[in-house]
Amino acid sequence: MVRNPTEAFDNKAIATVLKQLGGDPKDLGTLKRLQAVLEIVSKGSDAAATVMQPFFKLYDFQVAARHLTSAETVMEKLKTVTDRLKLKEDATFAEIYLAIRDSLSASFEKMTAIVETP
């Protein structure tokens, strides 16, 4: 399985950036910290929440795929993921992965645009 990009984010570095921008990283996980940074950089635009959605979908998929919870929770997470990706409920892991990959790629492009906008 491909390594989860959220595992590669440097949580401490994101916290440092968030503090430098005037935000408070306390009690925020990595994805929420990154979203807060993007919200500040985009001057409060709701684009940050939209850009971050694929990362939360990936996290839910990761939890379900690794069976880190009960079978019932796994099924609920998978249903949530397929619903959010607008896939059939019986979508294969490969179909889910490809949809997430495509949405992550688009999100990285949007993040770049947010950060590069003066």
Side-chain angles (χ1 to χ4, degrees):
M1 177 168 239
V2 176
R3 185 171 179 199
N4 181 344
T6 60
E7 293 173 351
F9 288 139
D10 187 335
N11 195 31
K12 289 181 183 178
I14 296 170
T16 300
V17 170
L18 184 55
K19 285 180 191 174
Q20 291 172 345
L21 292 171
D24 182 7
K26 186 179 178 195
D27 299 325
L28 297 178
T30 304
L31 295 178
K32 286 292 187 180
R33 285 179 178 183
L34 182 55
Q35 182 174 336
V37 167
L38 292 171
E39 285 170 355
I40 293 169
V41 171
S42 67
K43 297 172 180 49
S45 164
D46 63 350
T50 302
V51 166
M52 292 303 298
Q53 286 177 1
F55 296 95
F56 292 105
K57 293 172 191 174
L58 175 60
Y59 177 80
D60 287 345
F61 178 58
Q62 175 188 21
V63 169
R66 291 185 179 174
H67 304 286
L68 298 176
T69 62
S70 69
E72 182 179 327
T73 302
V74 166
M75 296 309 294
E76 289 171 7
K77 289 272 186 205
L78 283 174
K79 177 153 180 21
T80 298
V81 170
T82 54
D83 287 350
R84 291 163 101 191
L85 291 169
K86 297 179 175 64
L87 294 174
K88 297 180 297 182
E89 193 171 325
D90 63 347
T92 66
F93 274 18
E95 292 168 326
I96 294 168
Y97 176 79
L98 290 174
I100 290 173
R101 182 201 62 190
D102 292 346
S103 62
L104 284 171
S105 179
S107 283
F108 280 121
E109 290 176 18
K110 291 174 187 171
M111 272 187 210
T112 301
I114 289 170
V115 173
E116 290 180 344
T117 301

